[in-house]
Amino acid sequence: MVNQTKQALEASLKHLLLQKPLDKITISDLTKDCGISRMAFYYHFKDIYDLVEWSCLEDATRALAGKKTYSTWTEGLLQIFEVVYENKPFIMNAYRCISREQIENFLFQLTSDLIMGVVKEQEQAVNTTIPDKDKRFIADFYKYSFVGIMLDWIKQGMKEDYGEIARMIAITLHGGIANSIRNFTKAEE
């Protein structure tokens, strides 16, 4: 029941974003659109921006389900692009109405788990162990690259073919994480 209410609010938010900017949508608009009380809204979310963040994370979590391994991370990355593109009116509206820092934090949170999973898997694949701080640095390095590219794509109106962007990222990074792990191992010797 709790998840149904949240999903109803998410659907109403996306519906209303097709009609007006995020900063013009009120909690009353949302609750009226999905037929719940204001108290029900506040039971689940502290404000509209909290709902926006939850919606983004829910969409992304569904997109990444089972795509956090080395053999599937490029598919996971492509699916992140697809989810963002499928929700273009929502994302563009949110991008214009909330701070870049909030969008960055959302994308960092989203990609961090994906990349850290790949780093840990590659650490095992190259049969070595590096300190957690080194794994975190490698994951952060790639995370910032992904997020920067995605933010540029969003800022430019999502016009460029995201499949091509994902392909270029995959080519650029092919073997890069394993190589970074090997380099950290050598530096520790």
Side-chain angles (χ1 to χ4, degrees):
M1 183 71 138
V2 168
N3 220 20
Q4 287 177 331
T5 303
K6 286 182 169 185
Q7 289 171 345
L9 285 164
E10 176 185 18
S12 289
L13 176 64
K14 289 179 178 180
H15 172 253
L16 291 169
L17 280 170
L18 296 174
Q19 302 167 17
K20 56 185 166 179
L22 181 64
D23 57 359
K24 301 292 183 207
I25 296 173
T26 65
I27 291 170
S28 293
D29 294 335
L30 284 168
T31 56
K32 188 185 311 179
D33 188 70
C34 70
I36 66 165
S37 70
R38 287 178 64 85
M39 290 304 295
F41 176 90
Y42 285 113
Y43 176 77
H44 298 289
F45 302 105
K46 63 181 179 192
D47 57 25
I48 290 176
Y49 299 104
D50 192 28
L51 170 59
V52 168
E53 185 175 332
W54 181 86
S55 297
C56 290
L57 288 173
E58 276 297 297
D59 288 346
T61 300
R62 283 190 296 272
L64 286 177
K67 304 294 189 288
K68 295 183 181 181
T69 65
Y70 183 73
S71 61
T72 60
W73 75 268
T74 53
E75 190 178 330
L77 178 63
L78 181 62
Q79 287 183 317
I80 291 171
F81 274 106
E82 286 172 356
V83 165
V84 169
Y85 189 77
E86 286 169 5
N87 290 291
K88 185 176 180 176
F90 174 73
I91 297 295
M92 293 305 294
N93 211 324
Y95 184 79
R96 285 189 289 270
C97 295
I98 62 178
S99 74
R100 179 181 168 106
E101 185 178 342
Q102 285 178 290
I103 297 285
E104 283 176 351
N105 287 338
F106 157 69
L107 291 171
F108 288 152
Q109 186 177 1
L110 177 63
T111 57
S112 185
D113 289 344
L114 170 67
I115 297 168
M116 184 53 89
V118 173
V119 169
K120 288 178 180 178
E121 181 184 337
Q122 287 298 288
E123 178 185 42
Q124 291 176 341
V126 298
N127 200 25
T128 191
T129 303
I130 61 174
D132 286 344
K133 71 175 183 56
D134 294 347
K135 283 185 272 211
R136 174 80 317 192
F137 183 85
I138 293 167
D140 284 349
F141 180 84
Y142 289 107
K143 171 184 77 175
Y144 287 114
S145 298
F146 289 156
V147 170
I149 288 168
M150 182 163 275
L151 284 172
D152 283 351
W153 177 68
I154 292 169
K155 182 180 179 181
Q156 295 163 7
M158 300 184 202
K159 292 177 184 152
E160 192 174 347
D161 177 17
Y162 62 81
E164 180 63 12
I165 296 169
R167 186 188 73 76
M168 289 188 300
I169 290 170
I171 290 169
T172 302
L173 298 180
H174 182 73
I177 292 174
N179 192 45
S180 294
I181 292 167
R182 284 188 205 96
N183 289 341
F184 271 96
T185 302
K186 288 177 191 172
E188 298 292 322
E189 296 173 349

